Amino acid sequence: MSTLFFYTRQQFFNFKSAQTVAGFEFLSMSKLLSSQRIDGLDSDQQYFVDISSLAGFVKTNDFQLLNFEQLFGSFGENITFICDKVYETDIRYLFRYVFDDFSDIEVENEDVPVENGEKPISQTKSVKKITDLNDSELDSFFENFDARLYGHERFKEEFKGLVNSFRVFNKLGEHKILSLFLMGDSGVGKTEVARSIHKALGSKAKLAKINFGNYSSHDALNSLIGSPLGYIGSDGGELLKRVNESDIGLILIDEFEKADNAVFNYFLDVLENGKIVNSQADEYDVSGYIIVFTSNITKENFKSKISPELRSRFDYKGVFNLLTDEDKKKFVHFRVNQIISKYTELVSNDLPEKLHDIIVSEIDVSQYKNMRDLNKKIKDTFVIHLKSRRKN
Ligand SMILES: Nc1ncnc2c1ncn2[C@@H]1O[C@H](COP(=O)(O)OP(=O)(O)OP(=O)(O)O)[C@@H](O)[C@H]1O
Ligand SMILES: [Mg+2]
């Protein structure tokens, strides 16, 4: 007869230290599986195996349930299973044929303070999300965002509306993730949207970015979330790594069209559940996050490439048009000023007079569609004037 015991977060560390003194060893399920320790378990040793990490994984990968049902049957009497009580409802149902009974652990001295230094089971890191901002912080977020991204006025208006609605319905548990799918020509500012959100949210860390252009397509999902469970040498995948390194609630997915169906289905789940789960069943709560997907596909190819289920889940899908000459001129003004002030600060303030006006007057913005090309032209023109100054 096997019983699964539930513990609360407050109980866990006391329980663990008391049981460790009593000679029990603690193992997490993912550790047990990923290091293939099952065969290496000592039959004379008593173990507590924590299955909390299975809750999210089995829920989203229920084809694995059969494997787990068989697996649990193979454990000996020396193993007792435990689980975080927050997953009780799901676990009781998913594993209804695995365990004969469900119960709560018993702890003495419940009021002893929680031990520090141990890493809690679930995530505690504080991440700044758009849903956490108060009204005045939100105003300055939009101000900052609008100033960084040139043009695309219609998108900016819609984005505001979407954010406002997202902040309300995320709190009601009805809208987990704000997703933007941006299409359009190269160099018009699709990726810049994510960079601008990143800066406007005041991040001090790296932007969490995945580029499917860098993945070979057949193992894109493995690169993203790690190799299948239990596979020796597998890691936790790039997605969780990137998200863990970031300090704000934003993920950028570049060149999404280069991913495959397995990846598309995976993101369908992420958008629906607001959770990132990797192959080792580590789970990360991304509710309140913005995910920006960018792609070079045309509107027509969008329909043939991306399934209707996934398409309908994007909150915004739109094509970014080329910038107007007016917006390009603003960009040139800004960039030239930026280069001049950086140069003055870092190299020398000995620059030709009216350099800004001279460079601006020499660049015909109507010849450029891609802002990267325009940026290159700005740099080249700047260097030419530095050289001509040296000759004089
Ligand atoms: N609308 C814009 N506002 C501000 N800067 C922009 C804008 N569009 C482009 N840029 C500038 O041009 C560079 C290229 O833009 P970005 O990386 O956003 O291109 P993209 O649309 O993602 O193109 P690709 O499809 O090639 O990835 C950016 O680094 C940025 O400096
Ligand atoms: Mg891009």
Side-chain angles (χ1 to χ4, degrees):
M1 158 128 177
S2 68
T3 304
L4 175 66
F5 292 93
F6 293 104
Y7 60 82
T8 66
R9 189 188 277 217
Q10 290 75 29
Q11 293 172 322
F12 180 75
F13 294 109
N14 288 331
F15 178 69
K16 186 175 174 185
S17 45
Q19 296 298 329
T20 307
V21 171
F24 280 78
E25 194 176 325
F26 279 70
L27 284 173
S28 75
M29 196 68 187
S30 51
K31 205 175 217 165
L32 185 71
L33 295 172
S34 66
S35 58
Q36 308 226 318
R37 282 196 53 177
I38 299 172
D39 292 338
L41 292 182
D42 181 353
S43 58
D44 294 318
Q45 168 73 40
Q46 294 287 325
Y47 295 92
F48 276 110
V49 173
D50 193 328
I51 66 162
S52 304
S53 55
L54 287 182
F57 185 77
V58 174
K59 218 175 139 192
T60 48
N61 299 271
D62 52 14
F63 57 89
Q64 295 275 15
L65 197 52
L66 183 65
N67 288 340
F68 285 120
E69 285 182 356
Q70 290 169 342
L71 182 72
F72 278 100
S74 69
F75 285 109
E77 294 281 323
N78 57 332
I79 301 206
T80 307
F81 292 98
I82 55 172
C83 182
D84 191 325
K85 202 167 167 68
V86 295
Y87 302 116
E88 180 170 21
T89 317
D90 285 335
I91 286 284
R92 262 181 187 261
Y93 182 69
L94 286 167
F95 292 126
R96 59 198 178 282
Y97 300 119
V98 171
F99 296 101
D100 303 309
D101 199 6
F102 297 91
S103 167
D104 291 333
I105 59 160
E106 282 175 29
V107 190
E108 291 166 3
N109 304 327
E110 286 252 6
D111 47 0
V112 177
V114 173
E115 196 179 303
N116 285 327
E118 288 253 23
K119 199 164 159 269
I121 307 281
S122 41
Q123 118 207 29
T124 52
K125 197 178 112 199
S126 94
V127 170
K128 195 163 180 196
K129 302 178 201 166
I130 194 109
T131 47
D132 299 332
L133 304 185
N134 63 33
D135 288 352
S136 77
E137 286 171 333
L138 189 67
D139 287 344
S140 68
F141 167 82
F142 282 128
E143 218 169 277
N144 201 325
F145 176 81
D146 286 355
R148 284 174 189 278
L149 186 75
Y150 292 92
H152 307 305
E153 301 304 334
R154 256 187 54 197
F155 165 77
K156 286 177 184 167
E157 269 316 298
E158 279 197 52
F159 179 55
K160 253 175 226 153
L162 285 168
V163 167
N164 286 329
S165 148
F166 178 54
R167 284 162 53 82
V168 175
F169 286 96
N170 182 261
K171 291 197 175 73
L172 305 187
E174 290 186 16
H175 193 171
K176 303 276 186 189
I177 286 170
L178 180 63
S179 56
L180 313 173
F181 192 95
L182 309 176
M183 292 165 273
D185 288 317
S186 188
V188 295
K190 301 184 296 297
T191 302
E192 195 65 24
V193 168
R195 291 192 202 103
S196 302
I197 297 173
H198 180 242
K199 300 240 173 67
L201 274 177
S203 175
K204 300 203 169 50
K206 253 171 41 185
L207 169 59
K209 168 177 166 174
I210 301 285
N211 190 336
F212 282 106
N214 300 337
Y215 286 177
S216 74
S217 64
H218 73 281
D219 61 15
L221 189 63
N222 285 350
S223 313
L224 193 69
I225 64 166
S227 317
L229 200 71
Y231 184 79
I232 294 179
S234 73
D235 61 11
E238 196 183 352
L239 184 58
L240 262 189
K241 186 160 173 266
R242 296 278 165 259
V243 169
N244 265 315
E245 286 166 354
S246 171
D247 58 353
I248 54 158
L250 169 73
I251 303 170
L252 166 65
I253 309 285
D254 261 339
E255 302 193 57
F256 188 54
E257 80 283 359
K258 301 223 170 83
D260 59 9
N261 270 327
V263 171
F264 295 155
N265 287 332
Y266 180 79
F267 275 103
L268 194 68
D269 241 48
V270 175
L271 295 186
E272 195 66 24
N273 301 319
K275 277 181 196 154
I276 290 178
V277 183
N278 70 5
S279 63
Q280 311 196 348
D282 303 315
E283 202 177 284
Y284 201 94
D285 180 13
V286 285
S287 178
Y289 272 53
I290 301 175
I291 305 187
V292 177
F293 298 85
T294 79
S295 168
N296 288 119
I297 51 175
T298 59
K299 221 173 180 172
E300 294 70 42
N301 285 343
F302 177 57
K303 291 203 167 160
S304 59
K305 186 84 197 168
I306 312 280
S307 73
E309 292 86 356
L310 186 52
R311 261 187 274 145
S312 70
R313 274 179 182 73
F314 294 124
D315 297 302
Y316 177 92
K317 23 187 188 242
V319 178
F320 265 31
N321 294 321
L322 300 176
L323 292 178
T324 61
D325 285 353
E326 222 30 61
D327 292 325
K328 286 187 248 176
K329 277 185 195 150
K330 282 188 204 153
F331 178 75
V332 175
H333 275 291
F334 167 80
R335 268 299 282 159
V336 174
N337 278 334
Q338 190 182 42
I339 293 171
I340 290 177
S341 69
K342 268 196 198 168
Y343 190 89
T344 311
E345 187 193 325
L346 300 173
V347 186
S348 138
N349 59 6
D350 180 26
L351 284 170
E353 256 176 68
K354 299 212 160 113
L355 181 59
H356 171 271
D357 297 355
I358 296 169
I359 297 176
V360 169
S361 69
E362 280 178 20
I363 297 176
D364 175 8
V365 294
S366 67
Q367 295 194 359
Y368 301 90
K369 288 183 175 164
N370 186 326
M371 304 288 273
R372 279 192 203 95
D373 298 337
L374 184 56
N375 190 32
K376 185 166 182 307
K377 175 72 183 169
I378 297 168
K379 285 171 158 178
D380 291 348
T381 316
F382 180 77
V383 173
I384 287 170
H385 284 282
L386 280 187
K387 275 190 190 151
S388 68
R389 173 152 185 94
R390 244 178 279 146
K391 274 187 210 135
N392 292 340

